[in-house]
Structure formats: C-alpha cells, structure tokens
C-alpha cells in the first residue's frame, strides 16, 4: 500500500486543558500539534465543562473543571477533529454547564 492510500488517525486520551498551550510559543505544544495535524482525523476526550453562555455553578467541592470556551479553540489548533464529551467532569458546572459545553 502506498503512503498516499493510508488513512492516518490520531487518538489521544484525556484533554484536561485549562490554559492555551500556544499562548507562549511553546515548542512542545507546536511539535505535538504538527503530528496531530498531519492526520486525516484526530480524536480526544474533552475532560472538562465549558463555563459559557448558559452559566453554571460548581457541583463539586474540588477538582471542578470549568474552562473558558476558548479552550475548545486550542484543541482545534492542535488539529483535533472529533471530541467526546461524556466524562466524569461533564456535570462539574451543573446542567447549565452541560448546555454550555454542547
């Protein structure tokens, strides 16, 4: 099979992201992004909850993972084309956080 006929897929584990890894010209983030972008499809599990337009409130005393909507842009910059959202942190900001994430 020639290289032109191969399908390249990247599968990553949890994306527990709180800050933009590209904000400070991080060469490690860029190197990982180059690999992911070189694939035809890339999947990760978004391990968090968006603190967005529907609001929300913390439902846990600690380890809540509410993040700004811009973190999804960071995952897109990495080259991820597919996300799963069902995880143990999906409800960290209650039902409104789930709506914001969707």
């Amino acid at each position: 099979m020639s290289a032109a006929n191969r399908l390249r897929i990247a599968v990553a584990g949890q994306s527990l992201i709180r800050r933009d890894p590209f904000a400070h010209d991080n060469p490690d983030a860029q190197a990982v992004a180059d690999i992911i972008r070189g694939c035809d499809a890339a999947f990760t599990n978004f391990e968090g909850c968006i603190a967005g337009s529907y609001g929300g409130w913390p439902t846990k005393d600690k380890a809540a993972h509410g993040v700004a909507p811009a973190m999804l842009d960071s995952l897109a910059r990495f080259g991820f084309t597919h996300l799963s959202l069902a995880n143990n942190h999906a409800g960290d900001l209650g039902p409104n956080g789930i709506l914001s994430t969707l």
Side-chain angles (χ1 to χ4, degrees):
M1 178 182 287
S2 72
N5 294 329
R6 292 187 184 149
L7 176 65
R8 293 184 54 174
I9 299 172
V11 180
Q14 297 179 11
S15 289
L16 181 55
I17 185 168
R18 291 183 172 268
R19 288 179 228 94
D20 182 2
F22 298 100
H24 301 290
D25 294 323
N26 182 339
D28 294 329
Q30 189 59 51
V32 171
D34 289 343
I35 293 168
I36 295 171
R37 285 190 212 124
C39 294
D40 299 298
F43 170 85
T44 189
N45 175 45
F46 176 62
E47 189 70 36
C49 188
I50 297 296
S53 60
Y54 288 96
W57 54 92
T59 60
K60 298 180 178 181
D61 291 337
K62 54 186 171 179
H65 298 289
V67 299
M71 292 306 97
L72 294 177
D73 295 333
S74 292
L75 292 176
R77 280 186 69 191
F78 267 109
F80 289 108
T81 57
H82 297 79
L83 296 174
S84 67
L85 301 176
N87 57 69
N88 62 314
H89 291 291
D92 282 4
L93 297 178
N96 289 20
I98 291 172
L99 289 173
S100 290
T101 302
L102 292 174

